[in-house]
mmCIF file of all heavy atoms in Angstrom:
data_model
loop_
_atom_site.group_PDB
_atom_site.id
_atom_site.type_symbol
_atom_site.label_atom_id
_atom_site.label_comp_id
_atom_site.label_asym_id
_atom_site.label_seq_id
_atom_site.Cartn_x
_atom_site.Cartn_y
_atom_site.Cartn_z
ATOM 1 N N PRO A 77 -27.400 5.402 -3.972
ATOM 2 C CA PRO A 77 -26.974 4.645 -5.157
ATOM 3 C C PRO A 77 -26.368 5.549 -6.221
ATOM 4 O O PRO A 77 -26.730 6.707 -6.338
ATOM 5 C CB PRO A 77 -28.288 4.027 -5.653
ATOM 6 C CG PRO A 77 -29.352 4.941 -5.163
ATOM 7 C CD PRO A 77 -28.866 5.459 -3.841
ATOM 8 N N ALA A 78 -25.429 4.972 -6.977
ATOM 9 C CA ALA A 78 -24.758 5.773 -8.000
ATOM 10 C C ALA A 78 -23.949 4.875 -8.921
ATOM 11 O O ALA A 78 -23.636 3.730 -8.595
ATOM 12 C CB ALA A 78 -23.837 6.806 -7.348
ATOM 13 N N ASP A 79 -23.593 5.434 -10.063
ATOM 14 C CA ASP A 79 -22.583 4.842 -10.937
ATOM 15 C C ASP A 79 -21.299 5.579 -10.580
ATOM 16 O O ASP A 79 -20.913 6.547 -11.238
ATOM 17 C CB ASP A 79 -22.977 5.055 -12.404
ATOM 18 C CG ASP A 79 -21.913 4.588 -13.375
ATOM 19 O OD1 ASP A 79 -20.871 4.067 -12.910
ATOM 20 O OD2 ASP A 79 -22.097 4.768 -14.586
ATOM 21 N N TYR A 80 -20.660 5.135 -9.513
ATOM 22 C CA TYR A 80 -19.532 5.877 -8.969
ATOM 23 C C TYR A 80 -18.353 6.015 -9.928
ATOM 24 O O TYR A 80 -17.767 7.104 -10.025
ATOM 25 C CB TYR A 80 -19.080 5.264 -7.640
ATOM 26 C CG TYR A 80 -20.055 5.517 -6.525
ATOM 27 C CD1 TYR A 80 -20.758 4.468 -5.938
ATOM 28 C CD2 TYR A 80 -20.294 6.799 -6.053
ATOM 29 C CE1 TYR A 80 -21.663 4.689 -4.914
ATOM 30 C CE2 TYR A 80 -21.204 7.039 -5.038
ATOM 31 C CZ TYR A 80 -21.878 5.979 -4.471
ATOM 32 O OH TYR A 80 -22.785 6.208 -3.468
ATOM 33 N N PRO A 81 -17.949 4.963 -10.645
ATOM 34 C CA PRO A 81 -16.802 5.138 -11.549
ATOM 35 C C PRO A 81 -17.003 6.254 -12.573
ATOM 36 O O PRO A 81 -16.041 6.892 -12.990
ATOM 37 C CB PRO A 81 -16.684 3.766 -12.229
ATOM 38 C CG PRO A 81 -17.248 2.814 -11.234
ATOM 39 C CD PRO A 81 -18.396 3.559 -10.603
ATOM 40 N N ASN A 82 -18.252 6.488 -12.978
ATOM 41 C CA ASN A 82 -18.536 7.539 -13.954
ATOM 42 C C ASN A 82 -19.061 8.820 -13.313
ATOM 43 O O ASN A 82 -19.403 9.770 -14.018
ATOM 44 C CB ASN A 82 -19.524 7.026 -15.000
ATOM 45 C CG ASN A 82 -18.914 5.943 -15.875
ATOM 46 O OD1 ASN A 82 -17.836 6.127 -16.439
ATOM 47 N ND2 ASN A 82 -19.576 4.797 -15.971
ATOM 48 N N GLY A 83 -19.137 8.836 -11.988
ATOM 49 C CA GLY A 83 -19.538 10.053 -11.283
ATOM 50 C C GLY A 83 -20.988 10.437 -11.459
ATOM 51 O O GLY A 83 -21.336 11.619 -11.324
ATOM 52 N N ILE A 84 -21.847 9.464 -11.739
ATOM 53 C CA ILE A 84 -23.270 9.760 -11.960
ATOM 54 C C ILE A 84 -24.084 9.337 -10.742
ATOM 55 O O ILE A 84 -24.031 8.182 -10.316
ATOM 56 C CB ILE A 84 -23.789 9.041 -13.219
ATOM 57 C CG1 ILE A 84 -22.997 9.500 -14.442
ATOM 58 C CG2 ILE A 84 -25.280 9.309 -13.406
ATOM 59 C CD1 ILE A 84 -23.311 8.722 -15.702
ATOM 60 N N ILE A 85 -24.817 10.283 -10.170
ATOM 61 C CA ILE A 85 -25.640 10.032 -8.994
ATOM 62 C C ILE A 85 -27.095 9.943 -9.428
ATOM 63 O O ILE A 85 -27.592 10.795 -10.165
ATOM 64 C CB ILE A 85 -25.493 11.167 -7.950
ATOM 65 C CG1 ILE A 85 -24.011 11.464 -7.679
ATOM 66 C CG2 ILE A 85 -26.231 10.816 -6.675
ATOM 67 C CD1 ILE A 85 -23.229 10.326 -7.101
ATOM 68 N N GLY A 86 -27.801 8.929 -8.953
ATOM 69 C CA GLY A 86 -29.210 8.803 -9.317
ATOM 70 C C GLY A 86 -29.856 7.635 -8.605
ATOM 71 O O GLY A 86 -29.192 6.791 -8.019
ATOM 72 N N GLY A 87 -31.175 7.610 -8.623
ATOM 73 C CA GLY A 87 -31.914 6.558 -7.949
ATOM 74 C C GLY A 87 -32.587 7.070 -6.696
ATOM 75 O O GLY A 87 -32.817 8.273 -6.532
ATOM 76 N N TYR A 88 -32.894 6.152 -5.803
ATOM 77 C CA TYR A 88 -33.617 6.510 -4.581
ATOM 78 C C TYR A 88 -32.659 7.138 -3.578
ATOM 79 O O TYR A 88 -31.833 6.479 -2.974
ATOM 80 C CB TYR A 88 -34.278 5.280 -3.967
ATOM 81 C CG TYR A 88 -35.021 5.587 -2.679
ATOM 82 C CD1 TYR A 88 -36.128 6.439 -2.681
ATOM 83 C CD2 TYR A 88 -34.605 5.031 -1.472
ATOM 84 C CE1 TYR A 88 -36.802 6.726 -1.515
ATOM 85 C CE2 TYR A 88 -35.280 5.307 -0.304
ATOM 86 C CZ TYR A 88 -36.376 6.149 -0.325
ATOM 87 O OH TYR A 88 -37.045 6.443 0.846
ATOM 88 N N LEU A 89 -32.735 8.458 -3.426
ATOM 89 C CA LEU A 89 -31.883 9.198 -2.509
ATOM 90 C C LEU A 89 -32.751 10.039 -1.574
ATOM 91 O O LEU A 89 -33.121 11.170 -1.917
ATOM 92 C CB LEU A 89 -30.927 10.105 -3.286
ATOM 93 C CG LEU A 89 -29.911 9.389 -4.164
ATOM 94 C CD1 LEU A 89 -30.038 9.828 -5.605
ATOM 95 C CD2 LEU A 89 -28.514 9.649 -3.654
ATOM 96 N N PRO A 90 -33.098 9.510 -0.402
ATOM 97 C CA PRO A 90 -33.975 10.245 0.517
ATOM 98 C C PRO A 90 -33.458 11.626 0.889
ATOM 99 O O PRO A 90 -34.241 12.565 1.047
ATOM 100 C CB PRO A 90 -34.034 9.325 1.738
ATOM 101 C CG PRO A 90 -33.725 7.972 1.211
ATOM 102 C CD PRO A 90 -32.736 8.185 0.116
ATOM 103 N N ASN A 91 -32.135 11.757 1.034
ATOM 104 C CA ASN A 91 -31.563 13.041 1.453
ATOM 105 C C ASN A 91 -31.268 13.992 0.295
ATOM 106 O O ASN A 91 -30.999 15.171 0.511
ATOM 107 C CB ASN A 91 -30.278 12.803 2.253
ATOM 108 C CG ASN A 91 -30.542 12.126 3.577
ATOM 109 O OD1 ASN A 91 -31.606 12.291 4.162
ATOM 110 N ND2 ASN A 91 -29.587 11.352 4.038
ATOM 111 N N PHE A 92 -31.315 13.477 -0.944
ATOM 112 C CA PHE A 92 -31.048 14.309 -2.119
ATOM 113 C C PHE A 92 -32.095 14.015 -3.193
ATOM 114 O O PHE A 92 -31.781 13.440 -4.243
ATOM 115 C CB PHE A 92 -29.637 14.055 -2.655
ATOM 116 C CG PHE A 92 -28.549 14.670 -1.831
ATOM 117 C CD1 PHE A 92 -28.048 14.008 -0.718
ATOM 118 C CD2 PHE A 92 -28.044 15.918 -2.142
ATOM 119 C CE1 PHE A 92 -27.057 14.573 0.064
ATOM 120 C CE2 PHE A 92 -27.053 16.502 -1.374
ATOM 121 C CZ PHE A 92 -26.554 15.828 -0.266
ATOM 122 N N PRO A 93 -33.340 14.410 -2.948
ATOM 123 C CA PRO A 93 -34.419 14.086 -3.890
ATOM 124 C C PRO A 93 -34.220 14.662 -5.280
ATOM 125 O O PRO A 93 -34.712 14.099 -6.262
ATOM 126 C CB PRO A 93 -35.671 14.669 -3.214
ATOM 127 C CG PRO A 93 -35.147 15.702 -2.256
ATOM 128 C CD PRO A 93 -33.840 15.169 -1.778
ATOM 129 N N SER A 94 -33.503 15.772 -5.396
ATOM 130 C CA SER A 94 -33.325 16.398 -6.709
ATOM 131 C C SER A 94 -32.365 15.617 -7.606
ATOM 132 O O SER A 94 -32.229 15.928 -8.791
ATOM 133 C CB SER A 94 -32.824 17.837 -6.539
ATOM 134 O OG SER A 94 -31.567 17.880 -5.893
ATOM 135 N N PHE A 95 -31.715 14.570 -7.070
ATOM 136 C CA PHE A 95 -30.767 13.778 -7.849
ATOM 137 C C PHE A 95 -31.381 12.471 -8.354
ATOM 138 O O PHE A 95 -30.706 11.696 -9.023
ATOM 139 C CB PHE A 95 -29.528 13.444 -7.001
ATOM 140 C CG PHE A 95 -28.564 14.590 -6.844
ATOM 141 C CD1 PHE A 95 -28.874 15.692 -6.060
ATOM 142 C CD2 PHE A 95 -27.330 14.569 -7.471
ATOM 143 C CE1 PHE A 95 -27.986 16.734 -5.898
ATOM 144 C CE2 PHE A 95 -26.436 15.613 -7.328
ATOM 145 C CZ PHE A 95 -26.761 16.703 -6.545
#
Side-chain angles (χ1 to χ4, degrees):
D79 174 1
Y80 288 114
N82 292 308
I84 300 173
I85 310 298
Y88 179 64
L89 295 122
N91 293 331
F92 285 84
S94 62
F95 283 71

